[in-house]
Amino acid sequence: MQKYISVLFFLMVFMAIGQKKQITVEGVFANEFRTEGLDALRSMKNGKQYTVLNRDYKTGRTTIDKYDYTTQKKVETIVDSQNLDALKEFSAYEFNEDESKILLATEIDPIYRHSFLANYYIYDVKTKSVIKVSEGKIQEPSLSPNGTKVAYVRDNNLYIFDLNSETTEQVTTDGVKNKIINGITDWVYEEEFAFVRAFAWNADGSKIAFLRFDEEKVPQFSMDVFGTGLYPTQEVFKYPKAGEDNAEVTLHMLDVASGDISKVDLGNPYYIPRIKWMNNANYLSVQTINRHQNHLKLLSVNAKDNSVNVLLEEKDDAYIDITDNLTFLADDSFIWTSETDGYNHIYLYDQDGNLMNQVTKGPWEVTNYYGYDQNEDRVYYQSTENGSINRGVYSVASNGKNKKALATEEGTNSAAFSADFTYFILTYSNATTPPIYTLHKALNGKEIKEIKNNDSLIDKLKGYELSAKEFSTIQINGNELNMYMIKPKDFDPSKKYPLLMYQYSGPGSQQVSNSWMGYRDYWHQQLASEGYVIACVDGRGTGFKGADFKKSTYLNLVKYETEDQIAAAKKLSELSFIDENRTGIWGWSFGGHMATNSLLKGSEVFETAIAVAPVTSWRFYDTIYTERFMRTPQENPDGYDDNSPLNYPELLQGDFLLIHGSGDDNVHAQHSMRMAEALIQANKQFDWAIYPDKNHGIYGGNTRVHLFNKMTNFLNENLRDRKAEGNLDTKEQPSIDAQIKG
């Protein structure tokens, strides 16, 4: 008997040693699987060196270090916080044009998604002296090209700080919270046009162009902030919901020497989403677009007399996306991207706006424009030429000929080029390879050396139970849709597994991507370890498969996207190893809307759904995003209401978990509150959670751990642990297997 006990003990020890660990949300959000990166890398103007912001997280010491591209050795430390008496650390930096001064940011206080307040200092590279720009925290400071002045915004007004005299001039005086904003954007511009700094120096520092926002007519939105005090406080800000008034935006020109400000007459455009100076210091480019966002103009403004000329116009039956893909060449001819031919491509125009030629062409998308090397006549870009779930780096002559594939290994390739386009640093990853950073010659893509990898993370993950992300396509509603699937590591095709689908589906988005994992992927790995099959299908309306595919959901957001998810779930449920009685779906934001709609409208296929911070009515969301895809509620009431789950809560049959942060300035908690009330009045039971004072990201402290454990427990109780169907004979494979192409 003792012998058998010893053998049994040995086997138990051996199994324990050989057994791999399971991914947990505690580990994910404790950054146990953090990837190594190159933080805030910037090329020096000489094109031979670059700088990186380095931080010692134990001591807080921060440095800006200069590296040589070819040797990858550190040349010098330009700034070291240990040598600065004025500030102990900094978290962001910006050089002026001649790299003689550096703007350092510290003590950052976030406001919304992109905006923040901070204390700023100017570091003189030669003298190593430090000057504080302002005694109070400010926004969006910008050094003049010659490094003698700093323009910034404080309390909605524009200021200029003179470094030589150390004096400050207040440029505008009418800025008032929730009324007038000078030089930075309002909430909706920041969120949807993705910029905050709404002013810019011209090439010689003699002029500043800036936008002014008059918010008087914009309705106010208020949120209670519960905090830790005896009484809550209230956050009040201007938020234009679909169909409501936007801020009136105007363009103004400041003559720096005289202080004179003049208004530029642009003909009352509805939106001004971009301003950018040309190389000629007298000319400013301005992009304007109408409320429907389907008629874009690129204008040229002569700063001498504020005269305006149209460089180009674009119109679309649906909408036009705003991008930063505008580059002025030495003579102010320019490169521009457009979906004019049905795919996003690069075009070259002369300085008067005449089309010279289409640089790229084909049934694929340019996904990033990196720049133009005038000396070699090479346009550098990233695209989907090697498959819509992949990204490759290419170059081509400005006449569209002599294309070169620089980095096209299957997966995601992205590049950061040196200022003179001699080198680029490639970041490469795929679904099984965390980021690798390598140095390459720009002209031919030849690898010079590896800079950094994540081999230590790979070694660490060898001790964990991980399942492959299997990419395929699936035929749904007449379209071949991209899909991935994750199966349990010990997958047995004779067993039945619960299916959890993950969704986003916002216009132009992509979730099925051959790239390294994010935190949601790690959570999906945990669920796979616990016995789930995970699937994600990018349906109609998602990106990188042409304009027609992306814009097919125009005026009917979530209608066709939901139909695709329901149809995909039905088809996947035919697989021999999927239990058709245990199918769930989850998503966040737009994906939360999708999860809610799929559960309600697809009750015959979905048993469970989780909606995190969901939109529940597009009537509650902001003007710029919503009207781009839906027009206004006044013009398109059916489009808004027919696909709002607020209008059919009685369809709920499955188990539903509704989650929101009470401090969400983006998708307001109003969405979930109204959804809850609709379900209550329909006498439908559901689970829900409100995270106090948390914004759209729902994070901070243990919040994410709590959130993802709550979702895990909900799924285990309502999906995984439902009574499973019996096993099937795997020799009888349904036709669906042949319809999913690996």
Side-chain angles (χ1 to χ4, degrees):
M1 176 64 73
Q2 183 66 39
K3 176 182 177 182
Y4 288 111
I5 292 175
S6 299
V7 171
L8 179 62
F9 177 76
F10 173 79
L11 288 172
M12 290 174 66
V13 170
F14 178 80
M15 289 174 66
I17 293 173
Q19 188 174 7
K20 291 190 175 184
K21 292 184 286 185
Q22 181 178 306
I23 299 287
T24 65
V25 296
E26 287 82 2
V28 173
F29 295 112
N31 284 323
E32 289 183 10
F33 311 108
R34 184 174 65 88
T35 56
E36 293 290 331
L38 296 179
D39 192 14
L41 181 150
R42 293 190 176 97
S43 174
M44 302 294 287
K45 287 193 70 177
N46 61 21
K48 306 296 185 257
Q49 298 162 328
Y50 63 91
T51 61
V52 173
L53 180 70
N54 288 316
R55 179 187 300 275
D56 186 323
Y57 287 94
K58 292 182 179 179
T59 66
R61 179 187 179 188
T62 319
T63 58
I64 299 174
D65 297 313
K66 185 193 294 185
Y67 294 84
D68 185 88
Y69 272 110
T70 53
T71 67
Q72 285 302 297
K73 292 182 179 179
K74 186 167 75 172
V75 177
E76 65 171 309
T77 294
I78 301 175
V79 187
D80 188 336
S81 63
Q82 283 191 340
N83 301 328
L84 303 177
D85 295 330
L87 64 165
K88 295 180 180 179
E89 56 82 30
F90 49 91
S91 51
Y93 71 102
E94 179 182 328
F95 283 94
N96 71 317
E97 189 66 24
D98 66 6
E99 298 177 342
S100 63
K101 304 284 196 311
I102 307 175
L103 189 64
L104 305 175
T106 186
E107 300 175 55
I108 290 176
D109 293 330
I111 303 174
Y112 299 122
R113 187 186 295 269
H114 304 288
S115 57
F116 56 87
L117 288 162
N119 285 317
Y120 287 90
Y121 296 81
I122 301 298
Y123 180 81
D124 188 300
V125 175
K126 184 177 181 180
T127 66
K128 303 188 185 305
S129 60
V130 177
I131 300 174
K132 192 173 186 180
V133 176
S134 172
E135 284 308 312
K137 290 190 175 183
I138 59 176
Q139 287 183 262
E140 298 299 320
S142 176
L143 278 157
S144 63
N146 62 9
T148 61
K149 294 178 172 63
V150 182
Y152 63 88
V153 174
R154 184 175 66 205
D155 298 328
N156 288 10
N157 281 310
L158 188 63
Y159 291 78
I160 295 178
F161 175 65
D162 189 301
L163 274 69
N164 294 325
S165 64
E166 297 190 26
T167 58
T168 301
E169 174 190 357
Q170 184 170 348
V171 176
T172 64
T173 58
D174 59 348
V176 179
K177 184 179 180 180
N178 290 331
K179 288 186 179 180
I180 302 295
I181 310 173
N182 294 288
I184 56 173
T185 55
D186 65 353
W187 185 94
V188 71
Y189 266 61
E190 173 181 340
E191 177 66 26
E192 306 303 352
F193 289 141
F195 74 111
V196 178
R197 184 185 296 161
F199 71 88
W201 293 93
N202 70 343
D204 63 12
S206 63
K207 303 277 187 180
I208 294 178
F210 68 94
L211 299 181
R212 178 182 183 271
F213 292 76
D214 184 342
E215 296 187 292
E216 289 275 14
K217 297 179 182 178
V218 181
Q220 289 190 157
F221 187 83
S222 62
M223 298 188 304
D224 283 334
V225 179
F226 298 99
T228 57
L230 186 61
Y231 291 93
T233 58
Q234 194 172 59
E235 178 69 21
V236 178
F237 58 101
K238 298 284 187 155
Y239 184 107
K241 292 180 183 282
E244 299 296 315
D245 288 332
N246 281 280
E248 295 179 9
V249 185
T250 50
L251 174 66
H252 301 262
M253 196 73 68
L254 167 70
D255 183 87
V256 176
S258 68
D260 292 338
I261 298 174
S262 56
K263 181 180 176 181
V264 180
D265 184 2
L266 298 175
N268 298 318
Y270 200 79
Y271 295 120
I272 308 176
R274 294 289 186 271
I275 58 172
K276 183 175 185 176
W277 286 97
M278 301 183 193
N279 293 309
N280 185 326
N282 292 320
Y283 287 92
L284 174 76
S285 74
V286 182
Q287 294 181 43
T288 68
I289 198 165
N290 61 332
R291 183 160 191 164
H292 284 163
Q293 299 174 66
N294 61 4
H295 184 186
L296 174 70
K297 293 181 182 179
L298 177 63
L299 307 174
S300 170
V301 177
N302 186 332
K304 289 183 177 180
D305 59 9
N306 287 348
S307 58
V308 180
N309 289 306
V310 178
L311 288 176
L312 67 81
E313 287 188 71
E314 284 194 15
K315 295 182 180 180
D316 192 280
D317 291 336
Y319 58 88
I320 298 169
D321 289 317
I322 300 298
T323 74
D324 292 312
N325 297 334
L326 170 63
T327 297
F328 289 99
L329 310 185
D331 63 352
D332 282 332
S333 56
F334 59 93
I335 289 174
W336 175 265
T337 60
S338 172
E339 293 180 325
T340 301
D341 76 346
Y343 293 87
N344 194 48
H345 281 297
I346 299 171
Y347 296 79
L348 177 63
Y349 292 83
D350 68 19
Q351 55 266 63
D352 296 319
N354 299 307
L355 178 63
M356 296 171 69
N357 64 280
Q358 182 174 343
V359 179
T360 61
K361 187 178 296 185
W364 43 267
E365 303 265 305
V366 170
T367 50
N368 204 336
Y369 164 69
Y370 294 122
Y372 176 65
D373 179 2
Q374 198 142 344
N375 291 330
E376 298 289 343
D377 186 34
R378 304 301 296 173
V379 175
Y380 293 96
Y381 66 94
Q382 180 197 58
S383 78
T384 62
E385 289 172 69
N386 56 346
S388 59
I389 69 170
N390 300 308
R391 301 289 184 272
V393 179
Y394 302 83
S395 74
V396 65
S398 62
N399 62 6
K401 299 179 180 180
N402 193 22
K403 182 190 295 185
K404 295 180 181 178
L406 304 177
T408 57
E409 185 175 347
E410 195 169 279
T412 300
N413 298 272
S414 61
F417 284 83
S418 61
D420 64 354
F421 293 98
T422 300
Y423 306 101
F424 68 89
I425 292 177
L426 178 73
T427 303
Y428 171 77
S429 77
N430 61 26
T432 58
T433 308
I436 300 171
Y437 304 89
T438 49
L439 179 68
H440 297 251
K441 279 280 191 180
L443 276 179
N444 54 22
K446 181 181 179 182
E447 181 178 330
I448 298 173
K449 62 175 62 179
E450 184 177 288
I451 301 172
K452 184 180 287 191
N453 58 45
N454 276 281
D455 288 350
S456 59
L457 176 60
I458 294 174
D459 290 340
K460 183 171 187 173
L461 288 172
K462 288 177 181 177
Y464 286 83
E465 187 175 298
L466 292 178
S467 300
K469 183 180 281 189
E470 302 172 6
F471 293 101
S472 60
T473 60
I474 183 170
Q475 287 287 337
I476 298 293
N477 292 325
N479 294 284
E480 189 171 281
L481 305 181
N482 293 332
M483 180 179 79
Y484 71 69
M485 183 177 285
I486 303 171
K487 299 171 184 173
K489 190 68 175 177
D490 59 353
F491 175 72
D492 182 346
S494 68
K495 291 183 177 180
K496 288 280 196 177
Y497 294 91
L499 171 67
L500 178 66
M501 298 181 69
Y502 169 59
Q503 253 310 283
Y504 184 71
S505 279
S509 65
Q510 183 177 58
Q511 301 304 310
V512 183
S513 170
N514 192 3
S515 56
W516 183 242
M517 296 190 291
Y519 69 86
R520 290 167 187 162
D521 295 296
Y522 281 107
W523 183 54
H524 290 161
Q525 289 289 340
Q526 175 185 334
L527 294 177
S529 296
E530 295 184 7
Y532 294 85
V533 169
I534 310 294
C536 180
V537 177
D538 277 342
R540 282 172 288 179
T542 56
F544 312 110
K545 300 182 80 172
D548 288 345
F549 185 81
K550 180 176 71 173
K551 297 175 182 179
S552 62
T553 61
Y554 185 60
L555 300 179
N556 286 289
L557 279 189
V558 185
K559 172 179 170 59
Y560 302 112
E561 301 94 320
T562 300
E563 291 175 2
D564 284 352
Q565 294 308 307
I566 293 171
K570 287 179 179 178
K571 185 164 282 192
L572 292 174
S573 293
E574 296 172 11
L575 289 166
S576 60
F577 53 85
I578 296 297
D579 183 349
E580 65 178 5
N581 295 312
R582 292 188 293 164
T583 303
I585 186 168
W586 88 279
W588 198 307
S589 192
F590 195 108
H593 194 342
M594 287 290 300
T596 306
N597 259 30
S598 296
L599 182 63
L600 268 59
K601 290 192 170 185
S603 58
E604 75 278 12
V605 64
F606 288 106
E607 282 74 42
T608 307
I610 300 175
V612 185
V615 171
T616 59
S617 171
W618 290 111
R619 290 178 179 271
F620 299 157
Y621 201 55
D622 74 60
T623 48
I624 293 178
Y625 183 92
T626 312
E627 294 173 11
R628 181 185 304 153
F629 311 118
M630 296 282 283
R631 299 202 171 184
T632 66
Q634 295 86 343
E635 297 170 284
N636 182 25
D638 291 344
Y640 279 79
D641 296 335
D642 290 351
N643 303 298
S644 168
L646 300 183
N647 296 319
Y648 35 86
E650 69 280 356
L651 297 181
L652 178 63
Q653 294 184 33
D655 299 298
F656 183 46
L657 175 58
L658 179 63
I659 296 170
H660 223 112
S662 72
D664 192 334
D665 63 278
N666 184 0
V667 180
H668 304 144
Q670 174 189 22
H671 288 263
S672 285
M673 292 298 182
R674 291 286 290 271
M675 190 70 235
E677 176 62 9
L679 292 169
I680 290 166
Q681 295 310 317
N683 197 25
K684 294 292 184 178
Q685 293 296 318
F686 64 99
D687 292 279
W688 68 322
I690 298 294
Y691 284 87
D693 297 338
K694 296 300 182 283
N695 65 15
H696 196 54
I698 312 182
Y699 59 86
N702 282 323
T703 303
R704 282 282 177 89
V705 173
H706 186 279
L707 168 63
F708 278 85
N709 278 333
K710 173 174 280 294
M711 294 196 294
T712 303
N713 294 337
F714 178 83
L715 290 171
N716 288 345
E717 180 181 349
N718 296 289
L719 192 65
R720 186 192 65 182
D721 297 338
R722 279 175 178 264
K723 186 177 179 181
E725 294 294 304
N727 295 340
L728 277 185
D729 183 351
T730 57
K731 293 179 181 179
E732 297 180 7
Q733 289 292 323
S735 61
I736 175 62
D737 290 351
Q739 295 181 49
I740 297 177
K741 302 176 182 178

